[in-house]
Amino acid sequence: CNLQPKDAAKMPESAWKLLFYTLSWSYGIYLLFFTDYPFFYDPPSVFYDWKKGMDVPTDIAIAYLMQCSFYGHSIYATAYMDTWRKDSVVMLLHHVVTLTLIAFSYAFRGAGGGCWRREVVLGELCWVSHLSQGPHGPLNPPCSLCPGRFWFRLYWFPLKVLYATCYSSLQSVPNIPFYFFFNALLLVLTLMNIYWFLYIVLFVAKVLMGQMQEVNDVREYDVEDSKK
C-alpha cells in the first residue's frame, strides 16, 4: 500500500473498523429499509405496544449480538491494541456507554434502538483511502463523504433517536422504566459527537489557514509527545 512507517501501525486498525462498520451499517440499512420495521420513518413506533418481557425478533437480536461483541472487544482494543490518541480516553468511555446502552436496551426490550446504525464507516473509509496512497498522493473521492458524519450524528441522531427516547417514550409508556438512565447515556453520546465534531472543525481550520502541508489526524500526538 506504499505506507509510511508511521502509518503502518494504524492501517490494520482502520481497515478492521472499516470492515466491521461496513457489515454492521449494511445490516442496519437492511433492517431499517428492507423489512417491515417502521423505526426510521416513525421513530416513536419503537415504543408502541411496549411491554416487559416482550419477544425480540431474531433479526434484531442478531444486530444486538453483533454490536455487543464488537464494543466489548473495542474496550480492550482501544486500551491495549490501537494507537493511543488524544481522544482515546473519550473513546473508551464511548465504548463503555454504548455497550451499556445496547445491553440494557436488550434487557428491557427497547429493541428498535438496536437498529440504529451510524456512519462511522465513512470516516474509516476516508482514513484508509488516505493511508493507502502514501505521503504525496491526493485524497480519494470517498473522503467527500465525510460530511455525512455531521448529517447522521448531529442531525438525525438528535432528531430521530433523542426525540423518540426523550419525548415519545413518555407519550406511549408513561411509566417506562429507567427513563432517565437511558436518556442520560444517550445525551452523553451526543456530547461525544459534538466533541469529535470539534476535532473535524479544527482539522478543516488548519487546512484552510495553511497550517497543514499534508493530511494528518489532528488527534495524533506530536512525535515529541509520543516519545514521552
PDB file of all heavy atoms in Angstrom, residues 126-127 130 139 143 146 150 195-219:
ATOM      1  N   CYS A 126     -12.489   7.098   4.588  1.00  0.00           N
ATOM      2  CA  CYS A 126     -11.655   8.247   4.257  1.00  0.00           C
ATOM      3  C   CYS A 126     -10.220   8.035   4.725  1.00  0.00           C
ATOM      4  O   CYS A 126      -9.266   8.305   3.988  1.00  0.00           O
ATOM      5  CB  CYS A 126     -12.208   9.512   4.913  1.00  0.00           C
ATOM      6  SG  CYS A 126     -13.796  10.017   4.268  1.00  0.00           S
ATOM      7  N   TRP A 127     -10.075   7.561   5.961  1.00  0.00           N
ATOM      8  CA  TRP A 127      -8.728   7.420   6.530  1.00  0.00           C
ATOM      9  C   TRP A 127      -7.954   6.320   5.814  1.00  0.00           C
ATOM     10  O   TRP A 127      -6.774   6.481   5.492  1.00  0.00           O
ATOM     11  CB  TRP A 127      -8.835   7.126   8.021  1.00  0.00           C
ATOM     12  CG  TRP A 127      -7.517   7.166   8.724  1.00  0.00           C
ATOM     13  CD1 TRP A 127      -6.951   6.173   9.467  1.00  0.00           C
ATOM     14  CD2 TRP A 127      -6.586   8.253   8.755  1.00  0.00           C
ATOM     15  NE1 TRP A 127      -5.736   6.583   9.949  1.00  0.00           N
ATOM     16  CE2 TRP A 127      -5.490   7.849   9.532  1.00  0.00           C
ATOM     17  CE3 TRP A 127      -6.588   9.529   8.191  1.00  0.00           C
ATOM     18  CZ2 TRP A 127      -4.387   8.659   9.767  1.00  0.00           C
ATOM     19  CZ3 TRP A 127      -5.496  10.354   8.426  1.00  0.00           C
ATOM     20  CH2 TRP A 127      -4.407   9.914   9.212  1.00  0.00           C
ATOM     21  N   HIS A 130      -6.783   7.486   2.447  1.00  0.00           N
ATOM     22  CA  HIS A 130      -5.638   8.400   2.561  1.00  0.00           C
ATOM     23  C   HIS A 130      -4.350   7.636   2.839  1.00  0.00           C
ATOM     24  O   HIS A 130      -3.321   7.851   2.190  1.00  0.00           O
ATOM     25  CB  HIS A 130      -5.890   9.415   3.674  1.00  0.00           C
ATOM     26  CG  HIS A 130      -4.658  10.157   4.086  1.00  0.00           C
ATOM     27  ND1 HIS A 130      -3.939  10.941   3.214  1.00  0.00           N
ATOM     28  CD2 HIS A 130      -4.004  10.216   5.273  1.00  0.00           C
ATOM     29  CE1 HIS A 130      -2.891  11.462   3.843  1.00  0.00           C
ATOM     30  NE2 HIS A 130      -2.911  11.029   5.100  1.00  0.00           N
ATOM     31  N   LEU A 139      -6.175  12.965  -1.740  1.00  0.00           N
ATOM     32  CA  LEU A 139      -7.228  12.175  -1.115  1.00  0.00           C
ATOM     33  C   LEU A 139      -8.129  11.580  -2.177  1.00  0.00           C
ATOM     34  O   LEU A 139      -8.396  12.192  -3.199  1.00  0.00           O
ATOM     35  CB  LEU A 139      -8.069  13.055  -0.184  1.00  0.00           C
ATOM     36  CG  LEU A 139      -7.754  12.915   1.300  1.00  0.00           C
ATOM     37  CD1 LEU A 139      -6.366  13.468   1.555  1.00  0.00           C
ATOM     38  CD2 LEU A 139      -8.775  13.663   2.122  1.00  0.00           C
ATOM     39  N   CYS A 143     -13.499  10.446   0.385  1.00  0.00           N
ATOM     40  CA  CYS A 143     -13.420  11.356   1.518  1.00  0.00           C
ATOM     41  C   CYS A 143     -14.433  12.484   1.428  1.00  0.00           C
ATOM     42  O   CYS A 143     -14.702  13.173   2.406  1.00  0.00           O
ATOM     43  CB  CYS A 143     -12.011  11.928   1.635  1.00  0.00           C
ATOM     44  SG  CYS A 143     -10.852  10.679   2.211  1.00  0.00           S
ATOM     45  N   CYS A 146     -17.346  12.410   3.967  1.00  0.00           N
ATOM     46  CA  CYS A 146     -17.215  12.685   5.396  1.00  0.00           C
ATOM     47  C   CYS A 146     -18.270  13.635   5.962  1.00  0.00           C
ATOM     48  O   CYS A 146     -18.622  13.513   7.132  1.00  0.00           O
ATOM     49  CB  CYS A 146     -15.816  13.226   5.695  1.00  0.00           C
ATOM     50  SG  CYS A 146     -14.563  11.921   5.651  1.00  0.00           S
ATOM     51  N   PHE A 150     -21.626  14.464   9.906  1.00  0.00           N
ATOM     52  CA  PHE A 150     -22.372  15.539  10.561  1.00  0.00           C
ATOM     53  C   PHE A 150     -23.876  15.278  10.446  1.00  0.00           C
ATOM     54  O   PHE A 150     -24.630  15.479  11.389  1.00  0.00           O
ATOM     55  CB  PHE A 150     -22.047  16.898   9.934  1.00  0.00           C
ATOM     56  CG  PHE A 150     -20.590  17.137   9.714  1.00  0.00           C
ATOM     57  CD1 PHE A 150     -20.154  17.832   8.615  1.00  0.00           C
ATOM     58  CD2 PHE A 150     -19.632  16.653  10.611  1.00  0.00           C
ATOM     59  CE1 PHE A 150     -18.806  18.054   8.395  1.00  0.00           C
ATOM     60  CE2 PHE A 150     -18.297  16.861  10.402  1.00  0.00           C
ATOM     61  CZ  PHE A 150     -17.880  17.562   9.284  1.00  0.00           C
ATOM     62  N   TYR A 195     -17.978  16.677  20.588  1.00  0.00           N
ATOM     63  CA  TYR A 195     -16.534  16.717  20.874  1.00  0.00           C
ATOM     64  C   TYR A 195     -15.732  16.317  19.642  1.00  0.00           C
ATOM     65  O   TYR A 195     -14.771  17.001  19.259  1.00  0.00           O
ATOM     66  CB  TYR A 195     -16.253  15.790  22.049  1.00  0.00           C
ATOM     67  CG  TYR A 195     -14.795  15.503  22.316  1.00  0.00           C
ATOM     68  CD1 TYR A 195     -13.994  16.428  22.981  1.00  0.00           C
ATOM     69  CD2 TYR A 195     -14.226  14.286  21.921  1.00  0.00           C
ATOM     70  CE1 TYR A 195     -12.659  16.143  23.246  1.00  0.00           C
ATOM     71  CE2 TYR A 195     -12.903  14.001  22.178  1.00  0.00           C
ATOM     72  CZ  TYR A 195     -12.118  14.932  22.836  1.00  0.00           C
ATOM     73  OH  TYR A 195     -10.794  14.657  23.078  1.00  0.00           O
ATOM     74  N   TRP A 196     -16.113  15.211  18.984  1.00  0.00           N
ATOM     75  CA  TRP A 196     -15.384  14.773  17.792  1.00  0.00           C
ATOM     76  C   TRP A 196     -15.645  15.697  16.607  1.00  0.00           C
ATOM     77  O   TRP A 196     -14.783  15.866  15.747  1.00  0.00           O
ATOM     78  CB  TRP A 196     -15.754  13.334  17.453  1.00  0.00           C
ATOM     79  CG  TRP A 196     -15.005  12.353  18.298  1.00  0.00           C
ATOM     80  CD1 TRP A 196     -13.645  12.282  18.458  1.00  0.00           C
ATOM     81  CD2 TRP A 196     -15.538  11.310  19.113  1.00  0.00           C
ATOM     82  NE1 TRP A 196     -13.306  11.264  19.317  1.00  0.00           N
ATOM     83  CE2 TRP A 196     -14.448  10.645  19.731  1.00  0.00           C
ATOM     84  CE3 TRP A 196     -16.818  10.852  19.372  1.00  0.00           C
ATOM     85  CZ2 TRP A 196     -14.610   9.560  20.597  1.00  0.00           C
ATOM     86  CZ3 TRP A 196     -16.988   9.774  20.234  1.00  0.00           C
ATOM     87  CH2 TRP A 196     -15.891   9.149  20.832  1.00  0.00           C
ATOM     88  N   PHE A 197     -16.814  16.295  16.557  1.00  0.00           N
ATOM     89  CA  PHE A 197     -17.095  17.277  15.507  1.00  0.00           C
ATOM     90  C   PHE A 197     -16.131  18.460  15.608  1.00  0.00           C
ATOM     91  O   PHE A 197     -15.666  18.988  14.594  1.00  0.00           O
ATOM     92  CB  PHE A 197     -18.539  17.758  15.633  1.00  0.00           C
ATOM     93  CG  PHE A 197     -18.878  18.916  14.737  1.00  0.00           C
ATOM     94  CD1 PHE A 197     -19.064  18.725  13.375  1.00  0.00           C
ATOM     95  CD2 PHE A 197     -19.002  20.189  15.248  1.00  0.00           C
ATOM     96  CE1 PHE A 197     -19.379  19.791  12.551  1.00  0.00           C
ATOM     97  CE2 PHE A 197     -19.311  21.266  14.433  1.00  0.00           C
ATOM     98  CZ  PHE A 197     -19.510  21.064  13.084  1.00  0.00           C
ATOM     99  N   LEU A 198     -15.795  18.855  16.829  1.00  0.00           N
ATOM    100  CA  LEU A 198     -14.859  19.962  17.010  1.00  0.00           C
ATOM    101  C   LEU A 198     -13.458  19.602  16.497  1.00  0.00           C
ATOM    102  O   LEU A 198     -12.734  20.463  16.002  1.00  0.00           O
ATOM    103  CB  LEU A 198     -14.801  20.361  18.489  1.00  0.00           C
ATOM    104  CG  LEU A 198     -16.099  20.947  19.055  1.00  0.00           C
ATOM    105  CD1 LEU A 198     -15.942  21.265  20.541  1.00  0.00           C
ATOM    106  CD2 LEU A 198     -16.500  22.212  18.298  1.00  0.00           C
ATOM    107  N   TYR A 199     -13.080  18.321  16.609  1.00  0.00           N
ATOM    108  CA  TYR A 199     -11.805  17.884  16.040  1.00  0.00           C
ATOM    109  C   TYR A 199     -11.803  18.075  14.518  1.00  0.00           C
ATOM    110  O   TYR A 199     -10.800  18.490  13.929  1.00  0.00           O
ATOM    111  CB  TYR A 199     -11.547  16.411  16.369  1.00  0.00           C
ATOM    112  CG  TYR A 199     -10.718  16.190  17.607  1.00  0.00           C
ATOM    113  CD1 TYR A 199     -11.274  15.617  18.746  1.00  0.00           C
ATOM    114  CD2 TYR A 199      -9.374  16.556  17.651  1.00  0.00           C
ATOM    115  CE1 TYR A 199     -10.512  15.402  19.888  1.00  0.00           C
ATOM    116  CE2 TYR A 199      -8.608  16.348  18.792  1.00  0.00           C
ATOM    117  CZ  TYR A 199      -9.180  15.772  19.907  1.00  0.00           C
ATOM    118  OH  TYR A 199      -8.419  15.579  21.035  1.00  0.00           O
ATOM    119  N   ILE A 200     -12.933  17.764  13.885  1.00  0.00           N
ATOM    120  CA  ILE A 200     -13.027  17.923  12.436  1.00  0.00           C
ATOM    121  C   ILE A 200     -12.984  19.401  12.063  1.00  0.00           C
ATOM    122  O   ILE A 200     -12.345  19.787  11.076  1.00  0.00           O
ATOM    123  CB  ILE A 200     -14.309  17.246  11.914  1.00  0.00           C
ATOM    124  CG1 ILE A 200     -14.281  15.746  12.222  1.00  0.00           C
ATOM    125  CG2 ILE A 200     -14.475  17.475  10.423  1.00  0.00           C
ATOM    126  CD1 ILE A 200     -15.536  15.004  11.828  1.00  0.00           C
ATOM    127  N   VAL A 201     -13.666  20.236  12.851  1.00  0.00           N
ATOM    128  CA  VAL A 201     -13.613  21.679  12.613  1.00  0.00           C
ATOM    129  C   VAL A 201     -12.181  22.182  12.736  1.00  0.00           C
ATOM    130  O   VAL A 201     -11.708  22.994  11.925  1.00  0.00           O
ATOM    131  CB  VAL A 201     -14.537  22.420  13.604  1.00  0.00           C
ATOM    132  CG1 VAL A 201     -14.334  23.931  13.512  1.00  0.00           C
ATOM    133  CG2 VAL A 201     -16.000  22.071  13.323  1.00  0.00           C
ATOM    134  N   LEU A 202     -11.452  21.694  13.740  1.00  0.00           N
ATOM    135  CA  LEU A 202     -10.052  22.076  13.915  1.00  0.00           C
ATOM    136  C   LEU A 202      -9.222  21.655  12.714  1.00  0.00           C
ATOM    137  O   LEU A 202      -8.373  22.417  12.229  1.00  0.00           O
ATOM    138  CB  LEU A 202      -9.497  21.436  15.191  1.00  0.00           C
ATOM    139  CG  LEU A 202      -8.001  21.636  15.473  1.00  0.00           C
ATOM    140  CD1 LEU A 202      -7.686  23.112  15.661  1.00  0.00           C
ATOM    141  CD2 LEU A 202      -7.583  20.840  16.699  1.00  0.00           C
ATOM    142  N   PHE A 203      -9.465  20.438  12.222  1.00  0.00           N
ATOM    143  CA  PHE A 203      -8.738  19.944  11.055  1.00  0.00           C
ATOM    144  C   PHE A 203      -8.990  20.841   9.841  1.00  0.00           C
ATOM    145  O   PHE A 203      -8.061  21.261   9.142  1.00  0.00           O
ATOM    146  CB  PHE A 203      -9.167  18.513  10.757  1.00  0.00           C
ATOM    147  CG  PHE A 203      -8.769  18.014   9.399  1.00  0.00           C
ATOM    148  CD1 PHE A 203      -7.469  17.625   9.149  1.00  0.00           C
ATOM    149  CD2 PHE A 203      -9.699  17.945   8.367  1.00  0.00           C
ATOM    150  CE1 PHE A 203      -7.097  17.159   7.896  1.00  0.00           C
ATOM    151  CE2 PHE A 203      -9.335  17.496   7.117  1.00  0.00           C
ATOM    152  CZ  PHE A 203      -8.037  17.094   6.880  1.00  0.00           C
ATOM    153  N   VAL A 204     -10.258  21.164   9.583  1.00  0.00           N
ATOM    154  CA  VAL A 204     -10.607  21.999   8.436  1.00  0.00           C
ATOM    155  C   VAL A 204      -9.986  23.384   8.580  1.00  0.00           C
ATOM    156  O   VAL A 204      -9.460  23.945   7.607  1.00  0.00           O
ATOM    157  CB  VAL A 204     -12.141  22.093   8.289  1.00  0.00           C
ATOM    158  CG1 VAL A 204     -12.521  23.099   7.213  1.00  0.00           C
ATOM    159  CG2 VAL A 204     -12.733  20.734   7.962  1.00  0.00           C
ATOM    160  N   ALA A 205     -10.019  23.929   9.793  1.00  0.00           N
ATOM    161  CA  ALA A 205      -9.451  25.256  10.022  1.00  0.00           C
ATOM    162  C   ALA A 205      -7.955  25.270   9.736  1.00  0.00           C
ATOM    163  O   ALA A 205      -7.430  26.208   9.110  1.00  0.00           O
ATOM    164  CB  ALA A 205      -9.723  25.701  11.460  1.00  0.00           C
ATOM    165  N   LYS A 206      -7.241  24.225  10.157  1.00  0.00           N
ATOM    166  CA  LYS A 206      -5.798  24.158   9.913  1.00  0.00           C
ATOM    167  C   LYS A 206      -5.486  24.053   8.428  1.00  0.00           C
ATOM    168  O   LYS A 206      -4.529  24.646   7.943  1.00  0.00           O
ATOM    169  CB  LYS A 206      -5.194  22.982  10.672  1.00  0.00           C
ATOM    170  CG  LYS A 206      -5.074  23.204  12.171  1.00  0.00           C
ATOM    171  CD  LYS A 206      -4.293  22.084  12.836  1.00  0.00           C
ATOM    172  CE  LYS A 206      -4.055  22.383  14.311  1.00  0.00           C
ATOM    173  NZ  LYS A 206      -3.237  21.342  14.970  1.00  0.00           N
ATOM    174  N   VAL A 207      -6.306  23.293   7.707  1.00  0.00           N
ATOM    175  CA  VAL A 207      -6.101  23.168   6.263  1.00  0.00           C
ATOM    176  C   VAL A 207      -6.335  24.513   5.576  1.00  0.00           C
ATOM    177  O   VAL A 207      -5.542  24.949   4.730  1.00  0.00           O
ATOM    178  CB  VAL A 207      -7.029  22.087   5.680  1.00  0.00           C
ATOM    179  CG1 VAL A 207      -6.978  22.109   4.156  1.00  0.00           C
ATOM    180  CG2 VAL A 207      -6.629  20.711   6.196  1.00  0.00           C
ATOM    181  N   LEU A 208      -7.418  25.205   5.939  1.00  0.00           N
ATOM    182  CA  LEU A 208      -7.752  26.472   5.302  1.00  0.00           C
ATOM    183  C   LEU A 208      -6.721  27.553   5.602  1.00  0.00           C
ATOM    184  O   LEU A 208      -6.471  28.445   4.775  1.00  0.00           O
ATOM    185  CB  LEU A 208      -9.141  26.940   5.748  1.00  0.00           C
ATOM    186  CG  LEU A 208     -10.321  26.066   5.291  1.00  0.00           C
ATOM    187  CD1 LEU A 208     -11.629  26.598   5.851  1.00  0.00           C
ATOM    188  CD2 LEU A 208     -10.383  25.996   3.767  1.00  0.00           C
ATOM    189  N   MET A 209      -6.118  27.497   6.781  1.00  0.00           N
ATOM    190  CA  MET A 209      -5.119  28.503   7.160  1.00  0.00           C
ATOM    191  C   MET A 209      -3.705  28.116   6.754  1.00  0.00           C
ATOM    192  O   MET A 209      -2.746  28.799   7.082  1.00  0.00           O
ATOM    193  CB  MET A 209      -5.188  28.742   8.673  1.00  0.00           C
ATOM    194  CG  MET A 209      -6.466  29.430   9.121  1.00  0.00           C
ATOM    195  SD  MET A 209      -6.470  29.889  10.877  1.00  0.00           S
ATOM    196  CE  MET A 209      -6.412  28.276  11.647  1.00  0.00           C
ATOM    197  N   GLY A 210      -3.588  26.979   6.047  1.00  0.00           N
ATOM    198  CA  GLY A 210      -2.289  26.567   5.551  1.00  0.00           C
ATOM    199  C   GLY A 210      -1.351  26.056   6.608  1.00  0.00           C
ATOM    200  O   GLY A 210      -0.133  26.038   6.405  1.00  0.00           O
ATOM    201  N   GLN A 211      -1.873  25.593   7.738  1.00  0.00           N
ATOM    202  CA  GLN A 211      -1.033  25.090   8.813  1.00  0.00           C
ATOM    203  C   GLN A 211      -0.710  23.609   8.673  1.00  0.00           C
ATOM    204  O   GLN A 211       0.061  23.067   9.454  1.00  0.00           O
ATOM    205  CB  GLN A 211      -1.709  25.345  10.170  1.00  0.00           C
ATOM    206  CG  GLN A 211      -1.914  26.814  10.483  1.00  0.00           C
ATOM    207  CD  GLN A 211      -2.597  27.023  11.822  1.00  0.00           C
ATOM    208  OE1 GLN A 211      -2.822  26.074  12.574  1.00  0.00           O
ATOM    209  NE2 GLN A 211      -2.932  28.262  12.137  1.00  0.00           N
ATOM    210  N   MET A 212      -1.317  22.939   7.670  1.00  0.00           N
ATOM    211  CA  MET A 212      -1.060  21.522   7.444  1.00  0.00           C
ATOM    212  C   MET A 212      -0.641  21.339   5.996  1.00  0.00           C
ATOM    213  O   MET A 212      -1.385  21.683   5.076  1.00  0.00           O
ATOM    214  CB  MET A 212      -2.311  20.681   7.756  1.00  0.00           C
ATOM    215  CG  MET A 212      -2.752  20.734   9.205  1.00  0.00           C
ATOM    216  SD  MET A 212      -4.211  19.712   9.529  1.00  0.00           S
ATOM    217  CE  MET A 212      -3.563  18.076   9.234  1.00  0.00           C
ATOM    218  N   GLN A 213       0.559  20.805   5.789  1.00  0.00           N
ATOM    219  CA  GLN A 213       1.059  20.558   4.440  1.00  0.00           C
ATOM    220  C   GLN A 213       0.571  19.222   3.892  1.00  0.00           C
ATOM    221  O   GLN A 213       0.562  19.000   2.693  1.00  0.00           O
ATOM    222  CB  GLN A 213       2.593  20.588   4.445  1.00  0.00           C
ATOM    223  CG  GLN A 213       3.159  21.922   4.917  1.00  0.00           C
ATOM    224  CD  GLN A 213       2.680  23.091   4.070  1.00  0.00           C
ATOM    225  OE1 GLN A 213       2.630  23.010   2.841  1.00  0.00           O
ATOM    226  NE2 GLN A 213       2.322  24.184   4.732  1.00  0.00           N
ATOM    227  N   GLU A 214       0.200  18.313   4.753  1.00  0.00           N
ATOM    228  CA  GLU A 214      -0.365  17.030   4.352  1.00  0.00           C
ATOM    229  C   GLU A 214      -1.475  16.674   5.322  1.00  0.00           C
ATOM    230  O   GLU A 214      -1.602  17.259   6.394  1.00  0.00           O
ATOM    231  CB  GLU A 214       0.695  15.934   4.337  1.00  0.00           C
ATOM    232  CG  GLU A 214       1.314  15.655   5.699  1.00  0.00           C
ATOM    233  CD  GLU A 214       2.352  14.545   5.635  1.00  0.00           C
ATOM    234  OE1 GLU A 214       3.063  14.442   4.619  1.00  0.00           O
ATOM    235  OE2 GLU A 214       2.429  13.784   6.609  1.00  0.00           O
ATOM    236  N   VAL A 215      -2.311  15.732   4.915  1.00  0.00           N
ATOM    237  CA  VAL A 215      -3.464  15.368   5.735  1.00  0.00           C
ATOM    238  C   VAL A 215      -3.005  14.500   6.890  1.00  0.00           C
ATOM    239  O   VAL A 215      -2.490  13.403   6.702  1.00  0.00           O
ATOM    240  CB  VAL A 215      -4.511  14.612   4.892  1.00  0.00           C
ATOM    241  CG1 VAL A 215      -5.674  14.185   5.773  1.00  0.00           C
ATOM    242  CG2 VAL A 215      -5.002  15.493   3.761  1.00  0.00           C
ATOM    243  N   ASN A 216      -3.181  15.016   8.104  1.00  0.00           N
ATOM    244  CA  ASN A 216      -2.825  14.286   9.316  1.00  0.00           C
ATOM    245  C   ASN A 216      -4.023  14.233  10.246  1.00  0.00           C
ATOM    246  O   ASN A 216      -4.887  15.111  10.222  1.00  0.00           O
ATOM    247  CB  ASN A 216      -1.648  14.954  10.039  1.00  0.00           C
ATOM    248  CG  ASN A 216      -0.363  14.859   9.249  1.00  0.00           C
ATOM    249  OD1 ASN A 216      -0.016  13.801   8.741  1.00  0.00           O
ATOM    250  ND2 ASN A 216       0.340  15.979   9.116  1.00  0.00           N
ATOM    251  N   ASP A 217      -4.054  13.221  11.066  1.00  0.00           N
ATOM    252  CA  ASP A 217      -5.095  13.083  12.075  1.00  0.00           C
ATOM    253  C   ASP A 217      -4.762  14.026  13.229  1.00  0.00           C
ATOM    254  O   ASP A 217      -3.756  13.841  13.917  1.00  0.00           O
ATOM    255  CB  ASP A 217      -5.159  11.635  12.562  1.00  0.00           C
ATOM    256  CG  ASP A 217      -6.393  11.355  13.401  1.00  0.00           C
ATOM    257  OD1 ASP A 217      -6.991  12.328  13.911  1.00  0.00           O
ATOM    258  OD2 ASP A 217      -6.756  10.175  13.564  1.00  0.00           O
ATOM    259  N   VAL A 218      -5.615  15.041  13.443  1.00  0.00           N
ATOM    260  CA  VAL A 218      -5.321  16.029  14.484  1.00  0.00           C
ATOM    261  C   VAL A 218      -5.433  15.428  15.881  1.00  0.00           C
ATOM    262  O   VAL A 218      -5.053  16.074  16.862  1.00  0.00           O
ATOM    263  CB  VAL A 218      -6.263  17.253  14.368  1.00  0.00           C
ATOM    264  CG1 VAL A 218      -5.991  18.021  13.096  1.00  0.00           C
ATOM    265  CG2 VAL A 218      -7.729  16.821  14.436  1.00  0.00           C
ATOM    266  N   ARG A 219      -5.931  14.207  15.991  1.00  0.00           N
ATOM    267  CA  ARG A 219      -5.996  13.550  17.298  1.00  0.00           C
ATOM    268  C   ARG A 219      -4.664  12.926  17.688  1.00  0.00           C
ATOM    269  O   ARG A 219      -4.480  12.545  18.837  1.00  0.00           O
ATOM    270  CB  ARG A 219      -7.074  12.458  17.290  1.00  0.00           C
ATOM    271  CG  ARG A 219      -8.475  12.948  16.972  1.00  0.00           C
ATOM    272  CD  ARG A 219      -9.400  11.778  16.791  1.00  0.00           C
ATOM    273  NE  ARG A 219      -8.929  10.894  15.732  1.00  0.00           N
ATOM    274  CZ  ARG A 219      -9.244   9.599  15.635  1.00  0.00           C
ATOM    275  NH1 ARG A 219     -10.016   9.043  16.542  1.00  0.00           N
ATOM    276  NH2 ARG A 219      -8.780   8.875  14.644  1.00  0.00           N
TER     277      ARG A 219
END
